[in-house]
Amino acid sequence: MFDAYSKIKAAEGLAGFYKGFWISAFQIISGVFYVSTYEQVRHFLYRNDIRDSNIRALIAGGCASVVGQTVIVPFDVISQHLMVLGRASNGTSKSVYNTLNIQFEGRSKFQVTMDITREIYQRDGLRGYYRGYLASLSTYVPNSAMWWGFYQIYQDQLIKIVPDNVSHLLLQCVAGTLGGFTTTIITNPLDVCRARLQIQRLESFPRTFSILWHEEGMRIFTKGLSARLTQSAVFSFAIILGYETIKRFSVKDDYRHYVRW
């Protein structure tokens, strides 16, 4: 992670860390669908006599990811191209990841984004925006299902061993972070394959995995892991903090005395 950080900063400055930011910001939209689906599926399962909170979290997390990925994958594809566009090799200006042959020198980010969007459509049609969709589902559906499942497990265990005067919201944030760590370590190879498939426009998920295994071997399990763990820690803590806080404020007045902060 630190090696990548130093190279990006040296080549592009701080702006390099925010390539594709505005496109990635559309994840807010998918987040609304994601959380809504999660809550609805949990409620549906409860009404159908599935009382085990771990099972409900696991199933609801997987369903929510299917909906969320269906919304966000086109934006993710464009964002991935923006992030790596013009990345240099060996200190030269040669672009090694410009697979769409986009002219980006001296042009605004908006212009480049529109060119990428048009080029993807001209080459592959609407299907091009969902390149790697199955790979994304293969990565994020188990990721989401396990994250919510581990979150519930860690939360239950922490409640048993931590004194009652410790903030319940803090325990939930810690449980979410631990769940994120666990899930990221397990699914990291899938995420590496997904990113390579979308950026380099490879034929299939198995083919991508085969190429990566040939190039990286066992390093596929740790490639980019430190950066993903850092991202997972920040994301998990923030999501649980916002999610559980909103749930507390949404409780009806009659039940507010049951709420633990």
Side-chain angles (χ1 to χ4, degrees), residues 69 72-84 97 99-100 116 120 124 127-137 139-140 190-205 208 212:
Q69 286 304 305
I72 199 58
V73 162
F75 299 104
D76 193 32
V77 169
I78 296 171
S79 177
Q80 292 277 0
H81 280 288
L82 276 171
M83 288 178 186
V84 300
Y97 287 114
T99 55
L100 297 176
I116 290 173
I120 291 173
D124 302 316
R127 187 180 65 177
Y129 299 115
Y130 281 89
R131 178 175 290 274
Y133 175 66
L134 293 179
S136 292
L137 291 183
T139 301
Y140 290 121
L190 296 175
D191 201 32
V192 173
C193 288
R194 175 199 61 81
R196 179 71 71 91
L197 178 64
Q198 289 180 335
I199 294 169
Q200 296 192 348
R201 304 172 59 81
L202 299 174
E203 296 89 353
S204 65
F205 191 82
T208 305
L212 275 169

Side-chain angles (χ1 to χ4, degrees), residues 22-41:
W22 293 111
I23 299 298
S24 296
F26 278 96
Q27 290 184 15
I28 295 173
I29 299 173
S30 72
V32 173
F33 287 96
Y34 178 91
V35 174
S36 299
T37 303
Y38 176 76
E39 286 294 330
Q40 290 298 321
V41 171

Side-chain angles (χ1 to χ4, degrees), residues 37-51:
T37 303
Y38 176 76
E39 286 294 330
Q40 290 298 321
V41 171
R42 273 174 56 90
H43 183 61
F44 173 80
L45 293 174
Y46 187 84
R47 285 189 303 170
N48 285 271
D49 298 324
I50 298 179
R51 297 291 188 260

Side-chain angles (χ1 to χ4, degrees), residues 136-148:
S136 292
L137 291 183
S138 300
T139 301
Y140 290 121
V141 170
N143 186 298
S144 177
M146 285 190 290
W147 184 67
W148 285 106

